[in-house]
Amino acid sequence: MEQQTQTNKLLTSIQGSFNMLGMAQVASWVGSEARAEMPAIVTSGEDVTIAPQILQGAEKAVLVVRDSEGELVARVDLPLDATSYEWEPLDAAGEPLPDGTYDLSVENSAEGEETVVTGVELYARVVEVQGLGDQIVLLMEGDRRILADNVTAIRG
């Protein structure tokens, strides 16, 4: 029993060391832009560059926009080959959306197939790196939080 306790303490210590190593490596991202699925921030009606995840074989892809309350505010048809898209933040009536945070997703559909919802990635500046238990969390500009494991790209 004593041996098991010592082994558990050693494993916990090793895990903490690995987490600190990962934290130190990810800390270099502060000030850079990270790409991941996260809410979009609309400011002064400026376009937002997004990377919609459109499934191969989809016959139709629709950007679904929900406000911070989860209310549907817009649906926008996307080009099927869009890997990057300039989203103009307008509501269903074509009016500019108010400043705020919006959740984006893509509905992928094909005739005779069930609609599949996928995510939308975008870039945002990394403000801080935090360790929460065994996870590394990035605080992004606009008070958004994402897991470091979910980052797909980093740029200057």
Side-chain angles (χ1 to χ4, degrees), residues 29-151:
W29 296 356
V30 172
S32 298
E33 290 185 321
R35 179 175 143 170
E37 288 183 26
M38 69 183 93
I41 294 180
V42 171
T43 307
S44 304
E46 292 180 21
D47 287 1
V48 178
T49 303
I50 62 172
Q53 305 303 302
I54 299 173
L55 296 178
Q56 187 173 5
E59 294 173 358
K60 184 172 185 172
V62 178
L63 177 67
V64 177
V65 183
R66 295 186 183 279
D67 64 17
S68 59
E69 304 295 318
E71 295 294 319
L72 179 66
V73 295
R75 295 173 58 81
V76 179
D77 288 338
L78 295 171
L80 293 175
D81 62 349
T83 56
S84 180
Y85 182 80
E86 290 297 315
W87 169 54
E88 186 177 6
L90 302 174
D91 66 16
E95 296 296 319
L97 289 172
D99 289 1
T101 303
Y102 294 86
D103 288 318
L104 308 176
S105 60
V106 176
E107 290 180 354
N108 298 270
S109 59
E111 190 173 326
E113 300 285 328
E114 193 170 316
T115 298
V116 177
V117 178
T118 55
V120 173
E121 295 182 344
L122 53 105
Y123 279 98
R125 189 157 313 285
V126 179
V127 175
E128 183 178 325
V129 177
Q130 302 171 340
L132 295 176
D134 62 348
Q135 297 182 333
I136 298 173
V137 177
L138 304 179
L139 175 61
M140 312 301 288
E141 63 186 348
D143 201 31
R144 297 169 287 180
R145 287 172 171 71
I146 62 170
L147 293 177
D149 289 345
N150 293 340
V151 172

Side-chain angles (χ1 to χ4, degrees), residues 10-25:
L10 179 61
L11 288 173
T12 300
S13 173
I14 290 171
Q15 183 181 27
S17 296
F18 284 135
N19 287 343
M20 291 307 291
L21 177 62
M23 173 84 81
Q25 191 172 27

